[in-house]
Amino acid sequence: MKMKTGEYFYMRADNTGSRTWGSPTIVFSQSADRTRSGAEFYKARYYTTAYN
C-alpha cells in the first residue's frame, strides 16, 4: 500500500512458530518498522480520519 506521502508499507510472513502465515512486524519504506509483541499480522490497512 502506498500512502499519500509516498511511503509504502507491507507485511511479510516470517514462517516461524505455529502461524507461519503471519508476522508481528509491519515494514515501512521510509520510517521504522513497527512490531507488536504477541501479534500475528496477515494484512495491513492504512486508515486516516481525513477521508471520513
Side-chain angles (χ1 to χ4, degrees):
M1 169 93 203
K2 191 170 188 179
M3 297 183 277
K4 187 177 181 179
T5 61
E7 182 170 30
Y8 60 90
F9 62 93
Y10 60 93
M11 188 288 310
R12 183 181 312 168
D14 59 10
N15 295 319
T16 62
S18 62
R19 297 184 178 128
T20 59
W21 44 262
S23 172
T25 303
I26 303 296
V27 179
F28 287 82
S29 65
Q30 298 174 9
S31 57
D33 298 349
R34 308 232 173 54
T35 299
R36 297 283 184 210
S37 178
E40 284 296 331
F41 298 110
Y42 71 96
K43 187 188 298 186
R45 178 182 289 176
Y46 178 66
Y47 179 82
T48 178
T49 57
Y51 299 115
N52 296 329

